[in-house]
PDB file of all heavy atoms in Angstrom:
ATOM      1  N   PHE K   1     -12.622  10.643   1.871  1.00  0.00           N
ATOM      2  CA  PHE K   1     -11.661   9.511   1.874  1.00  0.00           C
ATOM      3  C   PHE K   1     -12.353   8.219   2.222  1.00  0.00           C
ATOM      4  O   PHE K   1     -11.826   7.116   1.876  1.00  0.00           O
ATOM      5  CB  PHE K   1     -10.548   9.777   2.931  1.00  0.00           C
ATOM      6  CG  PHE K   1      -9.213   9.415   2.492  1.00  0.00           C
ATOM      7  CD1 PHE K   1      -8.879   9.121   1.195  1.00  0.00           C
ATOM      8  CD2 PHE K   1      -8.209   9.348   3.454  1.00  0.00           C
ATOM      9  CE1 PHE K   1      -7.587   8.771   0.841  1.00  0.00           C
ATOM     10  CE2 PHE K   1      -6.906   8.987   3.117  1.00  0.00           C
ATOM     11  CZ  PHE K   1      -6.616   8.693   1.803  1.00  0.00           C
ATOM     12  N   GLY K   2     -13.422   8.280   2.939  1.00  0.00           N
ATOM     13  CA  GLY K   2     -14.095   7.074   3.378  1.00  0.00           C
ATOM     14  C   GLY K   2     -14.568   6.286   2.157  1.00  0.00           C
ATOM     15  O   GLY K   2     -14.929   6.851   1.125  1.00  0.00           O
ATOM     16  N   GLY K   3     -14.516   4.967   2.295  1.00  0.00           N
ATOM     17  CA  GLY K   3     -14.990   4.094   1.196  1.00  0.00           C
ATOM     18  C   GLY K   3     -13.829   3.671   0.297  1.00  0.00           C
ATOM     19  O   GLY K   3     -14.055   2.859  -0.601  1.00  0.00           O
ATOM     20  N   TYR K   4     -12.639   4.216   0.506  1.00  0.00           N
ATOM     21  CA  TYR K   4     -11.526   3.879  -0.340  1.00  0.00           C
ATOM     22  C   TYR K   4     -10.486   3.062   0.522  1.00  0.00           C
ATOM     23  O   TYR K   4     -10.151   3.428   1.624  1.00  0.00           O
ATOM     24  CB  TYR K   4     -10.773   5.100  -0.840  1.00  0.00           C
ATOM     25  CG  TYR K   4     -11.527   5.865  -1.907  1.00  0.00           C
ATOM     26  CD1 TYR K   4     -12.456   6.855  -1.560  1.00  0.00           C
ATOM     27  CD2 TYR K   4     -11.315   5.555  -3.227  1.00  0.00           C
ATOM     28  CE1 TYR K   4     -13.115   7.556  -2.556  1.00  0.00           C
ATOM     29  CE2 TYR K   4     -11.994   6.279  -4.216  1.00  0.00           C
ATOM     30  CZ  TYR K   4     -12.880   7.253  -3.892  1.00  0.00           C
ATOM     31  OH  TYR K   4     -13.548   7.946  -4.878  1.00  0.00           O
ATOM     32  N   ALA K   5      -9.984   1.980  -0.092  1.00  0.00           N
ATOM     33  CA  ALA K   5      -8.793   1.370   0.462  1.00  0.00           C
ATOM     34  C   ALA K   5      -7.579   2.196  -0.023  1.00  0.00           C
ATOM     35  O   ALA K   5      -7.614   2.740  -1.107  1.00  0.00           O
ATOM     36  CB  ALA K   5      -8.687  -0.077  -0.030  1.00  0.00           C
ATOM     37  N   VAL K   6      -6.559   2.232   0.794  1.00  0.00           N
ATOM     38  CA  VAL K   6      -5.404   3.029   0.470  1.00  0.00           C
ATOM     39  C   VAL K   6      -4.165   2.135   0.543  1.00  0.00           C
ATOM     40  O   VAL K   6      -3.995   1.318   1.485  1.00  0.00           O
ATOM     41  CB  VAL K   6      -5.264   4.210   1.445  1.00  0.00           C
ATOM     42  CG1 VAL K   6      -3.998   4.990   1.115  1.00  0.00           C
ATOM     43  CG2 VAL K   6      -6.478   5.121   1.380  1.00  0.00           C
ATOM     44  N   GLY K   7      -3.311   2.288  -0.415  1.00  0.00           N
ATOM     45  CA  GLY K   7      -2.068   1.544  -0.454  1.00  0.00           C
ATOM     46  C   GLY K   7      -0.881   2.484  -0.520  1.00  0.00           C
ATOM     47  O   GLY K   7      -0.960   3.570  -1.038  1.00  0.00           O
ATOM     48  N   TRP K   8       0.241   1.987   0.093  1.00  0.00           N
ATOM     49  CA  TRP K   8       1.485   2.650  -0.085  1.00  0.00           C
ATOM     50  C   TRP K   8       2.366   1.713  -0.909  1.00  0.00           C
ATOM     51  O   TRP K   8       2.468   0.517  -0.677  1.00  0.00           O
ATOM     52  CB  TRP K   8       2.195   2.903   1.236  1.00  0.00           C
ATOM     53  CG  TRP K   8       1.660   4.060   2.025  1.00  0.00           C
ATOM     54  CD1 TRP K   8       0.767   4.037   3.049  1.00  0.00           C
ATOM     55  CD2 TRP K   8       2.011   5.439   1.840  1.00  0.00           C
ATOM     56  NE1 TRP K   8       0.544   5.294   3.535  1.00  0.00           N
ATOM     57  CE2 TRP K   8       1.291   6.208   2.830  1.00  0.00           C
ATOM     58  CE3 TRP K   8       2.886   6.133   1.000  1.00  0.00           C
ATOM     59  CZ2 TRP K   8       1.418   7.572   2.924  1.00  0.00           C
ATOM     60  CZ3 TRP K   8       3.008   7.490   1.069  1.00  0.00           C
ATOM     61  CH2 TRP K   8       2.227   8.195   2.024  1.00  0.00           C
ATOM     62  N   PHE K   9       3.040   2.338  -1.914  1.00  0.00           N
ATOM     63  CA  PHE K   9       3.966   1.613  -2.787  1.00  0.00           C
ATOM     64  C   PHE K   9       5.275   2.409  -2.827  1.00  0.00           C
ATOM     65  O   PHE K   9       5.284   3.594  -2.422  1.00  0.00           O
ATOM     66  CB  PHE K   9       3.417   1.486  -4.202  1.00  0.00           C
ATOM     67  CG  PHE K   9       2.259   0.511  -4.338  1.00  0.00           C
ATOM     68  CD1 PHE K   9       1.011   0.868  -3.860  1.00  0.00           C
ATOM     69  CD2 PHE K   9       2.479  -0.703  -4.915  1.00  0.00           C
ATOM     70  CE1 PHE K   9      -0.043  -0.068  -3.967  1.00  0.00           C
ATOM     71  CE2 PHE K   9       1.422  -1.626  -5.038  1.00  0.00           C
ATOM     72  CZ  PHE K   9       0.178  -1.296  -4.568  1.00  0.00           C
ATOM     73  N   ARG K  10       6.323   1.769  -3.236  1.00  0.00           N
ATOM     74  CA  ARG K  10       7.586   2.482  -3.378  1.00  0.00           C
ATOM     75  C   ARG K  10       8.242   2.015  -4.694  1.00  0.00           C
ATOM     76  O   ARG K  10       7.961   0.930  -5.200  1.00  0.00           O
ATOM     77  CB  ARG K  10       8.526   2.243  -2.228  1.00  0.00           C
ATOM     78  CG  ARG K  10       8.946   0.824  -1.993  1.00  0.00           C
ATOM     79  CD  ARG K  10       9.708   0.698  -0.673  1.00  0.00           C
ATOM     80  NE  ARG K  10      10.182  -0.639  -0.420  1.00  0.00           N
ATOM     81  CZ  ARG K  10      10.773  -1.067   0.717  1.00  0.00           C
ATOM     82  NH1 ARG K  10      11.020  -0.160   1.693  1.00  0.00           N
ATOM     83  NH2 ARG K  10      11.151  -2.287   0.850  1.00  0.00           N
ATOM     84  N   GLN K  11       9.029   2.924  -5.195  1.00  0.00           N
ATOM     85  CA  GLN K  11       9.702   2.639  -6.476  1.00  0.00           C
ATOM     86  C   GLN K  11      11.168   2.957  -6.383  1.00  0.00           C
ATOM     87  O   GLN K  11      11.561   4.066  -6.030  1.00  0.00           O
ATOM     88  CB  GLN K  11       9.045   3.460  -7.596  1.00  0.00           C
ATOM     89  CG  GLN K  11       9.475   3.076  -8.998  1.00  0.00           C
ATOM     90  CD  GLN K  11       8.511   3.637 -10.040  1.00  0.00           C
ATOM     91  OE1 GLN K  11       7.833   4.644  -9.816  1.00  0.00           O
ATOM     92  NE2 GLN K  11       8.500   3.019 -11.189  1.00  0.00           N
ATOM     93  N   PHE K  12      11.957   1.924  -6.759  1.00  0.00           N
ATOM     94  CA  PHE K  12      13.397   2.080  -6.811  1.00  0.00           C
ATOM     95  C   PHE K  12      13.736   2.483  -8.259  1.00  0.00           C
ATOM     96  O   PHE K  12      13.016   2.146  -9.191  1.00  0.00           O
ATOM     97  CB  PHE K  12      14.100   0.814  -6.444  1.00  0.00           C
ATOM     98  CG  PHE K  12      13.688   0.255  -5.093  1.00  0.00           C
ATOM     99  CD1 PHE K  12      12.877  -0.865  -5.025  1.00  0.00           C
ATOM    100  CD2 PHE K  12      14.063   0.900  -3.910  1.00  0.00           C
ATOM    101  CE1 PHE K  12      12.493  -1.376  -3.782  1.00  0.00           C
ATOM    102  CE2 PHE K  12      13.654   0.394  -2.685  1.00  0.00           C
ATOM    103  CZ  PHE K  12      12.862  -0.712  -2.625  1.00  0.00           C
ATOM    104  N   PRO K  13      14.892   3.171  -8.443  1.00  0.00           N
ATOM    105  CA  PRO K  13      15.247   3.582  -9.819  1.00  0.00           C
ATOM    106  C   PRO K  13      15.279   2.421 -10.763  1.00  0.00           C
ATOM    107  O   PRO K  13      15.894   1.378 -10.497  1.00  0.00           O
ATOM    108  CB  PRO K  13      16.636   4.211  -9.597  1.00  0.00           C
ATOM    109  CG  PRO K  13      16.631   4.676  -8.212  1.00  0.00           C
ATOM    110  CD  PRO K  13      15.804   3.678  -7.429  1.00  0.00           C
ATOM    111  N   GLY K  14      14.568   2.570 -11.871  1.00  0.00           N
ATOM    112  CA  GLY K  14      14.595   1.540 -12.907  1.00  0.00           C
ATOM    113  C   GLY K  14      13.760   0.331 -12.589  1.00  0.00           C
ATOM    114  O   GLY K  14      13.796  -0.656 -13.338  1.00  0.00           O
ATOM    115  N   LYS K  15      12.948   0.350 -11.541  1.00  0.00           N
ATOM    116  CA  LYS K  15      12.165  -0.798 -11.118  1.00  0.00           C
ATOM    117  C   LYS K  15      10.690  -0.417 -11.148  1.00  0.00           C
ATOM    118  O   LYS K  15      10.271   0.766 -11.142  1.00  0.00           O
ATOM    119  CB  LYS K  15      12.529  -1.229  -9.685  1.00  0.00           C
ATOM    120  CG  LYS K  15      13.981  -1.600  -9.500  1.00  0.00           C
ATOM    121  CD  LYS K  15      14.299  -2.923 -10.145  1.00  0.00           C
ATOM    122  CE  LYS K  15      15.743  -3.370  -9.785  1.00  0.00           C
ATOM    123  NZ  LYS K  15      16.037  -4.647 -10.414  1.00  0.00           N
ATOM    124  N   GLU K  16       9.845  -1.485 -11.139  1.00  0.00           N
ATOM    125  CA  GLU K  16       8.403  -1.327 -11.028  1.00  0.00           C
ATOM    126  C   GLU K  16       8.070  -0.885  -9.580  1.00  0.00           C
ATOM    127  O   GLU K  16       8.817  -1.149  -8.633  1.00  0.00           O
ATOM    128  CB  GLU K  16       7.673  -2.623 -11.355  1.00  0.00           C
ATOM    129  CG  GLU K  16       7.883  -3.144 -12.738  1.00  0.00           C
ATOM    130  CD  GLU K  16       7.115  -2.319 -13.755  1.00  0.00           C
ATOM    131  OE1 GLU K  16       5.961  -1.896 -13.447  1.00  0.00           O
ATOM    132  OE2 GLU K  16       7.672  -2.034 -14.836  1.00  0.00           O
ATOM    133  N   ARG K  17       6.901  -0.309  -9.444  1.00  0.00           N
ATOM    134  CA  ARG K  17       6.403   0.080  -8.077  1.00  0.00           C
ATOM    135  C   ARG K  17       6.193  -1.184  -7.274  1.00  0.00           C
ATOM    136  O   ARG K  17       5.638  -2.183  -7.791  1.00  0.00           O
ATOM    137  CB  ARG K  17       5.144   0.902  -8.162  1.00  0.00           C
ATOM    138  CG  ARG K  17       5.435   2.293  -8.681  1.00  0.00           C
ATOM    139  CD  ARG K  17       4.226   3.169  -8.708  1.00  0.00           C
ATOM    140  NE  ARG K  17       4.568   4.419  -9.392  1.00  0.00           N
ATOM    141  CZ  ARG K  17       3.738   5.432  -9.551  1.00  0.00           C
ATOM    142  NH1 ARG K  17       2.508   5.376  -9.111  1.00  0.00           N
ATOM    143  NH2 ARG K  17       4.169   6.504 -10.189  1.00  0.00           N
ATOM    144  N   GLU K  18       6.571  -1.140  -6.049  1.00  0.00           N
ATOM    145  CA  GLU K  18       6.566  -2.330  -5.160  1.00  0.00           C
ATOM    146  C   GLU K  18       5.618  -2.043  -4.009  1.00  0.00           C
ATOM    147  O   GLU K  18       5.629  -0.984  -3.386  1.00  0.00           O
ATOM    148  CB  GLU K  18       7.987  -2.515  -4.613  1.00  0.00           C
ATOM    149  CG  GLU K  18       8.116  -3.530  -3.497  1.00  0.00           C
ATOM    150  CD  GLU K  18       9.544  -3.573  -2.932  1.00  0.00           C
ATOM    151  OE1 GLU K  18      10.440  -4.074  -3.641  1.00  0.00           O
ATOM    152  OE2 GLU K  18       9.764  -3.057  -1.840  1.00  0.00           O
ATOM    153  N   PHE K  19       4.769  -3.045  -3.722  1.00  0.00           N
ATOM    154  CA  PHE K  19       3.831  -2.914  -2.646  1.00  0.00           C
ATOM    155  C   PHE K  19       4.516  -2.772  -1.287  1.00  0.00           C
ATOM    156  O   PHE K  19       5.511  -3.486  -1.013  1.00  0.00           O
ATOM    157  CB  PHE K  19       2.943  -4.127  -2.615  1.00  0.00           C
ATOM    158  CG  PHE K  19       2.068  -4.263  -1.380  1.00  0.00           C
ATOM    159  CD1 PHE K  19       0.970  -3.443  -1.219  1.00  0.00           C
ATOM    160  CD2 PHE K  19       2.349  -5.179  -0.398  1.00  0.00           C
ATOM    161  CE1 PHE K  19       0.159  -3.527  -0.086  1.00  0.00           C
ATOM    162  CE2 PHE K  19       1.575  -5.280   0.755  1.00  0.00           C
ATOM    163  CZ  PHE K  19       0.471  -4.452   0.919  1.00  0.00           C
ATOM    164  N   VAL K  20       4.004  -1.886  -0.443  1.00  0.00           N
ATOM    165  CA  VAL K  20       4.560  -1.683   0.866  1.00  0.00           C
ATOM    166  C   VAL K  20       3.480  -2.044   1.936  1.00  0.00           C
ATOM    167  O   VAL K  20       3.777  -2.863   2.812  1.00  0.00           O
ATOM    168  CB  VAL K  20       5.013  -0.230   1.086  1.00  0.00           C
ATOM    169  CG1 VAL K  20       5.442  -0.020   2.520  1.00  0.00           C
ATOM    170  CG2 VAL K  20       6.131   0.111   0.121  1.00  0.00           C
ATOM    171  N   ALA K  21       2.327  -1.428   1.833  1.00  0.00           N
ATOM    172  CA  ALA K  21       1.292  -1.647   2.865  1.00  0.00           C
ATOM    173  C   ALA K  21      -0.062  -1.218   2.307  1.00  0.00           C
ATOM    174  O   ALA K  21      -0.112  -0.377   1.377  1.00  0.00           O
ATOM    175  CB  ALA K  21       1.607  -0.893   4.129  1.00  0.00           C
ATOM    176  N   THR K  22      -1.120  -1.744   2.881  1.00  0.00           N
ATOM    177  CA  THR K  22      -2.459  -1.343   2.459  1.00  0.00           C
ATOM    178  C   THR K  22      -3.368  -1.357   3.667  1.00  0.00           C
ATOM    179  O   THR K  22      -3.120  -2.100   4.638  1.00  0.00           O
ATOM    180  CB  THR K  22      -2.995  -2.211   1.349  1.00  0.00           C
ATOM    181  OG1 THR K  22      -4.252  -1.651   0.862  1.00  0.00           O
ATOM    182  CG2 THR K  22      -3.254  -3.633   1.834  1.00  0.00           C
ATOM    183  N   ILE K  23      -4.373  -0.516   3.625  1.00  0.00           N
ATOM    184  CA  ILE K  23      -5.334  -0.434   4.743  1.00  0.00           C
ATOM    185  C   ILE K  23      -6.742  -0.326   4.148  1.00  0.00           C
ATOM    186  O   ILE K  23      -6.974   0.340   3.155  1.00  0.00           O
ATOM    187  CB  ILE K  23      -4.979   0.798   5.662  1.00  0.00           C
ATOM    188  CG1 ILE K  23      -5.842   0.838   6.900  1.00  0.00           C
ATOM    189  CG2 ILE K  23      -5.106   2.119   4.868  1.00  0.00           C
ATOM    190  CD1 ILE K  23      -5.327   1.804   7.972  1.00  0.00           C
ATOM    191  N   SER K  24      -7.680  -1.023   4.813  1.00  0.00           N
ATOM    192  CA  SER K  24      -9.065  -1.016   4.378  1.00  0.00           C
ATOM    193  C   SER K  24      -9.700   0.338   4.647  1.00  0.00           C
ATOM    194  O   SER K  24      -9.156   1.158   5.396  1.00  0.00           O
ATOM    195  CB  SER K  24      -9.860  -2.114   5.034  1.00  0.00           C
ATOM    196  OG  SER K  24      -9.834  -1.931   6.481  1.00  0.00           O
ATOM    197  N   TRP K  25     -10.874   0.550   4.101  1.00  0.00           N
ATOM    198  CA  TRP K  25     -11.553   1.882   4.214  1.00  0.00           C
ATOM    199  C   TRP K  25     -11.815   2.229   5.669  1.00  0.00           C
ATOM    200  O   TRP K  25     -11.797   3.374   6.068  1.00  0.00           O
ATOM    201  CB  TRP K  25     -12.808   1.933   3.413  1.00  0.00           C
ATOM    202  CG  TRP K  25     -13.926   1.061   3.919  1.00  0.00           C
ATOM    203  CD1 TRP K  25     -14.173  -0.218   3.599  1.00  0.00           C
ATOM    204  CD2 TRP K  25     -14.914   1.441   4.898  1.00  0.00           C
ATOM    205  NE1 TRP K  25     -15.281  -0.677   4.301  1.00  0.00           N
ATOM    206  CE2 TRP K  25     -15.731   0.290   5.121  1.00  0.00           C
ATOM    207  CE3 TRP K  25     -15.171   2.626   5.589  1.00  0.00           C
ATOM    208  CZ2 TRP K  25     -16.800   0.322   5.972  1.00  0.00           C
ATOM    209  CZ3 TRP K  25     -16.257   2.643   6.487  1.00  0.00           C
ATOM    210  CH2 TRP K  25     -17.036   1.510   6.649  1.00  0.00           C
ATOM    211  N   SER K  26     -12.094   1.180   6.498  1.00  0.00           N
ATOM    212  CA  SER K  26     -12.406   1.414   7.902  1.00  0.00           C
ATOM    213  C   SER K  26     -11.142   1.494   8.763  1.00  0.00           C
ATOM    214  O   SER K  26     -11.236   1.957   9.899  1.00  0.00           O
ATOM    215  CB  SER K  26     -13.327   0.308   8.418  1.00  0.00           C
ATOM    216  OG  SER K  26     -12.588  -0.890   8.481  1.00  0.00           O
ATOM    217  N   GLY K  27     -10.075   1.045   8.212  1.00  0.00           N
ATOM    218  CA  GLY K  27      -8.847   0.965   9.001  1.00  0.00           C
ATOM    219  C   GLY K  27      -8.703  -0.357   9.780  1.00  0.00           C
ATOM    220  O   GLY K  27      -7.685  -0.565  10.469  1.00  0.00           O
ATOM    221  N   GLY K  28      -9.717  -1.192   9.663  1.00  0.00           N
ATOM    222  CA  GLY K  28      -9.683  -2.419  10.438  1.00  0.00           C
ATOM    223  C   GLY K  28      -8.796  -3.517   9.923  1.00  0.00           C
ATOM    224  O   GLY K  28      -8.457  -4.449  10.650  1.00  0.00           O
ATOM    225  N   LEU K  29      -8.424  -3.425   8.666  1.00  0.00           N
ATOM    226  CA  LEU K  29      -7.568  -4.420   8.060  1.00  0.00           C
ATOM    227  C   LEU K  29      -6.333  -3.718   7.469  1.00  0.00           C
ATOM    228  O   LEU K  29      -6.425  -2.758   6.784  1.00  0.00           O
ATOM    229  CB  LEU K  29      -8.278  -5.151   6.921  1.00  0.00           C
ATOM    230  CG  LEU K  29      -9.536  -5.989   7.327  1.00  0.00           C
ATOM    231  CD1 LEU K  29     -10.221  -6.506   6.072  1.00  0.00           C
ATOM    232  CD2 LEU K  29      -9.076  -7.152   8.222  1.00  0.00           C
ATOM    233  N   THR K  30      -5.181  -4.347   7.837  1.00  0.00           N
ATOM    234  CA  THR K  30      -3.913  -3.796   7.296  1.00  0.00           C
ATOM    235  C   THR K  30      -3.065  -4.991   6.846  1.00  0.00           C
ATOM    236  O   THR K  30      -3.131  -6.085   7.452  1.00  0.00           O
ATOM    237  CB  THR K  30      -3.156  -2.989   8.327  1.00  0.00           C
ATOM    238  OG1 THR K  30      -2.918  -3.817   9.488  1.00  0.00           O
ATOM    239  CG2 THR K  30      -3.915  -1.755   8.771  1.00  0.00           C
ATOM    240  N   TYR K  31      -2.285  -4.794   5.803  1.00  0.00           N
ATOM    241  CA  TYR K  31      -1.374  -5.831   5.302  1.00  0.00           C
ATOM    242  C   TYR K  31      -0.062  -5.118   4.911  1.00  0.00           C
ATOM    243  O   TYR K  31      -0.044  -3.952   4.489  1.00  0.00           O
ATOM    244  CB  TYR K  31      -1.987  -6.534   4.047  1.00  0.00           C
ATOM    245  CG  TYR K  31      -3.248  -7.232   4.406  1.00  0.00           C
ATOM    246  CD1 TYR K  31      -4.486  -6.616   4.280  1.00  0.00           C
ATOM    247  CD2 TYR K  31      -3.225  -8.575   4.840  1.00  0.00           C
ATOM    248  CE1 TYR K  31      -5.649  -7.289   4.592  1.00  0.00           C
ATOM    249  CE2 TYR K  31      -4.389  -9.254   5.135  1.00  0.00           C
ATOM    250  CZ  TYR K  31      -5.594  -8.608   5.017  1.00  0.00           C
ATOM    251  OH  TYR K  31      -6.774  -9.281   5.323  1.00  0.00           O
ATOM    252  N   TYR K  32       1.014  -5.906   5.061  1.00  0.00           N
ATOM    253  CA  TYR K  32       2.337  -5.345   4.826  1.00  0.00           C
ATOM    254  C   TYR K  32       3.172  -6.301   3.954  1.00  0.00           C
ATOM    255  O   TYR K  32       3.017  -7.531   4.017  1.00  0.00           O
ATOM    256  CB  TYR K  32       3.098  -5.141   6.152  1.00  0.00           C
ATOM    257  CG  TYR K  32       2.395  -4.190   7.111  1.00  0.00           C
ATOM    258  CD1 TYR K  32       1.460  -4.622   8.007  1.00  0.00           C
ATOM    259  CD2 TYR K  32       2.678  -2.807   7.018  1.00  0.00           C
ATOM    260  CE1 TYR K  32       0.817  -3.740   8.861  1.00  0.00           C
ATOM    261  CE2 TYR K  32       2.013  -1.917   7.893  1.00  0.00           C
ATOM    262  CZ  TYR K  32       1.109  -2.348   8.765  1.00  0.00           C
ATOM    263  OH  TYR K  32       0.456  -1.514   9.619  1.00  0.00           O
ATOM    264  N   ALA K  33       4.083  -5.703   3.237  1.00  0.00           N
ATOM    265  CA  ALA K  33       5.104  -6.518   2.550  1.00  0.00           C
ATOM    266  C   ALA K  33       6.008  -7.137   3.588  1.00  0.00           C
ATOM    267  O   ALA K  33       6.244  -6.497   4.646  1.00  0.00           O
ATOM    268  CB  ALA K  33       5.911  -5.635   1.593  1.00  0.00           C
ATOM    269  N   ASP K  34       6.536  -8.279   3.330  1.00  0.00           N
ATOM    270  CA  ASP K  34       7.396  -8.936   4.276  1.00  0.00           C
ATOM    271  C   ASP K  34       8.611  -8.081   4.605  1.00  0.00           C
ATOM    272  O   ASP K  34       9.096  -8.109   5.747  1.00  0.00           O
ATOM    273  CB  ASP K  34       7.890 -10.314   3.716  1.00  0.00           C
ATOM    274  CG  ASP K  34       6.770 -11.328   3.748  1.00  0.00           C
ATOM    275  OD1 ASP K  34       5.749 -11.146   4.427  1.00  0.00           O
ATOM    276  OD2 ASP K  34       6.929 -12.338   3.013  1.00  0.00           O
TER     277      ASP K  34
END
């Protein structure tokens, strides 16, 4: 798993996938949807 950034997305019926959160490969950086 190391070396990969990982994102979480969600999808509502009939909608495009929406960004939820992401984390850098080290875990040191995280970002969230408002």
Side-chain angles (χ1 to χ4, degrees):
F1 219 14
Y4 288 90
V6 180
W8 282 99
F9 288 75
R10 63 188 181 185
Q11 190 165 23
F12 307 108
K15 301 287 188 180
E16 298 287 321
R17 289 183 187 181
E18 169 185 287
F19 169 74
V20 175
T22 188
I23 187 166
S24 62
W25 69 269
S26 68
L29 295 174
T30 58
Y31 297 90
Y32 299 90
D34 288 343

